[in-house]
Amino acid sequence: MASIRRHYSRSKNLRIIMGWTIVLEDENGQAIRTLPMVFNYDDLDSLNFDDFILLKYIDPYGDTTFNTLQLDDLQTDFEKLKDVVSIQIEIIEQILDLIKESQDEVHTYIKFYGD
């Protein structure tokens, strides 16, 4: 099984910021590609998650897996997110690329590893 690092960083005010490690995996749970950046969920506190189809179901403290049938909705959510936030645009674009890569492959999953 792929080794996943948990990411913690400290901001200037010494608050711990936690985020998701995002991985494209095969049907056996082996990492095909891991994004080099972490998606910090602390930055999403002000969002109304009811406006999103799947984003609201990503567990910040656990692991969340999305399958092929969910990828169109996941893509829609991240495209919408990109339009409403001014931060983390680069990682959002990387997530969208990973979703497209998964849509082009069979038996792949997008996995969000929480804190």
Side-chain angles (χ1 to χ4, degrees):
M1 174 136 357
S3 173
I4 302 298
R5 295 176 297 164
R6 302 298 188 191
H7 295 276
Y8 304 92
S9 61
R10 293 197 179 268
S11 66
K12 292 178 185 173
N13 63 4
L14 298 179
R15 183 180 71 142
I16 292 178
I17 299 172
M18 295 180 281
W20 290 294
T21 300
I22 304 165
V23 183
L24 173 64
E25 295 183 352
D26 67 14
E27 62 190 302
N28 298 312
Q30 296 298 311
I32 297 170
R33 186 157 74 96
T34 302
L35 293 186
M37 299 175 70
V38 174
F39 187 58
N40 293 322
Y41 50 77
D42 286 348
D43 295 333
L44 305 178
D45 286 343
S46 63
L47 285 180
N48 179 1
F49 283 97
D50 290 335
D51 294 338
F52 297 91
I53 301 165
L54 294 176
L55 194 61
K56 61 187 168 191
Y57 297 115
I58 301 175
D59 184 354
Y61 306 107
D63 304 334
T64 307
T65 303
F66 294 100
N67 64 39
T68 303
L69 298 174
Q70 298 168 309
L71 291 179
D72 288 341
D73 289 337
L74 190 63
Q75 180 177 3
T76 299
D77 277 359
F78 276 98
E79 287 170 351
K80 184 186 295 186
L81 183 63
K82 191 168 116 176
D83 291 339
V84 298
V85 298
S86 59
I87 52 175
Q88 298 196 79
I89 299 300
E90 184 177 354
I91 183 68
I92 292 171
E93 289 174 350
Q94 289 178 12
I95 293 167
L96 287 166
D97 288 343
L98 200 67
I99 291 168
K100 290 175 187 165
E101 185 176 340
S102 184
Q103 289 170 324
D104 292 339
E105 299 290 330
V106 294
H107 307 295
T108 58
Y109 303 87
I110 303 289
K111 188 136 187 188
F112 288 72
Y113 286 95
D115 75 349

